[in-house]
Amino acid sequence: MNSTSASRRRRLRGPGAACLALSCSVVLGAAAPAHAFSGENHEKITRAALGAAGWHPNSLTAMANGSSGAIVANDHGQYFDIGKLHCDNADYLDPRYGGGYPRTRGQADAEIIDCIDSSVHNFKRAVAAADRLVDANGHVVAAQTSISPACDWNDQPGRAKCEVLEDLGRGWHQIEDFYAHSNWADRAGPGAIGVKNPPGLGRTDLPAFFSISRYSSMSKADWIKDATGHIPHDLATGCYPDRDHSGTASNCAGRVTHDGVLNKDTKDSPRSVIDHNFDRAYDLAVKDIARQWRNFEDELQRKYPNNGRAKAMICAITHDHPDKTCS
C-alpha cells in the first residue's frame, strides 16, 4: 500500500526512480515512496508479527522499516512493476453477477500461483543463505551476521544475514499485499455486485495456499495442484497495469481494478471504509506473517538439526549483536 491515500498508481520519483533494481540500497530506497500497503502499514504489520516473536530493535527495523526495510524492497526499482510481487491481476467475476467477464477463473488462478511461486522461491533462498550464518559447530560467524553498515536490498550476494532478511522480506511482501489487494477478508459494499463492487469473501482464516514452507519441499507440479484446489471460486485481486505472469502489462479495461475498487492500501481507500475492511485485511496480514516466520524457524530446525545450528541461526537473524549473544 502507499504512504499516501493515492494507492499504487503513483510511480517512484526522485533517487529511487533512477535507481536500477540491481543496485538499489536501503539508503536510496528511503527516498522513494512505498507502494501497495503503505510503507507505514507494511511496517506496522511486520513489527506486530515479528516483535511478538522476540526480534531485537535494529534487526526488526532492518526488516520492517516502511521506507528502507527489506519488507518494502519489492516496492522499489523495477520490482514495483512486477505484478506477482504484489499479488496483482488475479481478477475474476463470475457470470452470475452479469455479462461475460474478460478473464477466466483459470487466468486468475495463474496469477495467484505466480504470486505464491515468488514466495516459495524466496523462502528457499533464505533457507540456503542461513547456512552461512553459523559454522559447522553452531558458532555465529560475526562477519556474516552484522547489519552495520546497512544492508543493500539489491538481490546480489552479500552478508548472510542481509540475504536472509532480503529474501524473507521479498517473499512476505506479496503475502501482506494479498490481503490488501484481494477480496479474501473483505465484504462488498451495498448494492449490486459487479465490476465496481465485486463480492467479498469475508474470510477470517489464513489461506491454505500460502503454505510456503510445505510447498518449498514439494515438486512444483504437486504444490500447484494443491494450491489451486484451495483457491475459492470468487477470489479476486485487483487488476493493476503492471506485468502479469506472462510478462505483459495488464489492460484493465472492463475488469475489477486495484485502483478505486478493490485495494485496501490505506484506511481511507474506498473499499477500506466498508464494514471495517481495512482492519480485516490488516489483522489477517499480521497473523500470516507470524505464521510464515514460525514456519521458517521450523524449516531451519528441519534442515540444520546438528550441533544446535538452527537455534543459533534463528538467534543470529533476530538478535542485534549475535556474535556476542548467540554463541
Side-chain angles (χ1 to χ4, degrees):
M1 297 185 182
N2 281 341
S3 54
T4 71
S5 62
S7 84
R8 287 184 56 223
R9 60 178 170 271
R10 183 181 300 175
R11 287 299 191 263
L12 296 178
R13 301 194 184 279
C19 174
L20 296 178
L22 296 184
S23 62
C24 280
S25 70
V26 163
V27 176
L28 287 180
H35 301 273
F37 252 129
S38 70
E40 176 186 6
N41 288 321
H42 272 298
E43 179 165 353
K44 288 180 178 178
I45 288 165
T46 309
R47 285 188 180 276
L50 302 182
W55 284 52
H56 285 196
N58 293 340
S59 297
L60 183 55
T61 294
M63 170 61 80
N65 186 277
S67 61
S68 60
I71 196 64
V72 294
N74 286 353
D75 279 339
H76 297 297
Q78 68 183 18
Y79 300 100
F80 174 83
D81 286 317
I82 301 174
K84 67 181 179 181
L85 303 184
H86 312 283
C87 250
D88 292 333
N89 304 313
D91 53 290
Y92 176 72
L93 191 67
D94 188 85
R96 71 185 187 277
Y97 296 119
Y101 192 73
R103 301 271 287 179
T104 66
R105 181 68 257 170
Q107 288 173 307
D109 289 352
E111 301 302 332
I112 294 291
I113 294 300
D114 209 29
C115 174
I116 298 167
D117 188 47
S118 64
S119 289
V120 171
H121 170 74
N122 280 287
F123 182 95
K124 290 179 177 179
R125 286 176 46 138
V127 171
D131 190 27
R132 296 174 15 245
L133 294 168
V134 302
D135 65 21
N137 296 314
H139 299 137
V140 169
V141 180
Q144 293 293 334
T145 55
S146 175
I147 51 174
S148 180
C151 301
D152 291 330
W153 314 131
N154 57 11
D155 209 20
Q156 296 295 303
R159 285 163 282 161
K161 182 165 179 174
C162 293
E163 288 187 34
V164 172
L165 293 178
E166 179 173 11
D167 288 326
L168 290 178
R170 288 194 185 277
W172 290 346
H173 180 94
Q174 53 267 43
I175 294 175
E176 293 184 6
D177 274 357
F178 169 80
Y179 294 100
H181 295 181
S182 78
N183 63 348
W184 177 270
D186 74 12
R187 295 178 180 174
I193 297 297
V195 172
K196 298 298 184 182
N197 186 32
L201 302 184
R203 300 284 291 260
T204 59
D205 57 323
L206 300 179
F209 52 72
F210 279 141
S211 297
I212 306 303
S213 176
R214 184 166 69 90
Y215 289 169
S216 71
S217 62
M218 297 169 62
S219 72
K220 188 169 183 178
D222 285 344
W223 76 249
I224 287 177
K225 180 178 180 181
D226 182 271
T228 303
H230 290 294
I231 298 175
H233 181 74
D234 283 334
L235 178 67
T237 72
C239 179
Y240 187 81
D242 49 18
R243 284 180 279 155
D244 64 18
H245 84 281
S246 70
T248 59
S250 297
N251 179 353
C252 296
R255 295 166 62 179
V256 174
T257 60
H258 171 97
D259 287 331
V261 176
L262 199 48
N263 90 78
K264 293 161 288 293
D265 291 344
T266 62
K267 284 192 173 183
D268 58 355
S269 298
R271 186 87 167 186
S272 292
V273 300
I274 299 168
D275 201 7
H276 305 287
N277 278 340
F278 178 88
D279 294 333
R280 298 174 192 279
Y282 179 94
D283 291 346
L284 279 187
V286 171
K287 291 177 181 178
D288 210 341
I289 298 307
R291 167 177 69 158
Q292 299 301 329
W293 170 244
R294 290 193 302 269
N295 289 346
F296 183 73
E297 289 182 289
D298 291 344
E299 180 62 15
L300 293 183
Q301 295 284 0
R302 188 192 71 80
K303 182 78 171 179
Y304 306 108
N306 298 326
N307 299 322
R309 296 189 75 225
K311 182 178 179 180
M313 289 173 187
I314 293 166
C315 186
I317 295 166
T318 60
H319 283 51
D320 289 344
H321 304 286
D323 56 319
K324 300 176 180 178
T325 59
C326 299
S327 295

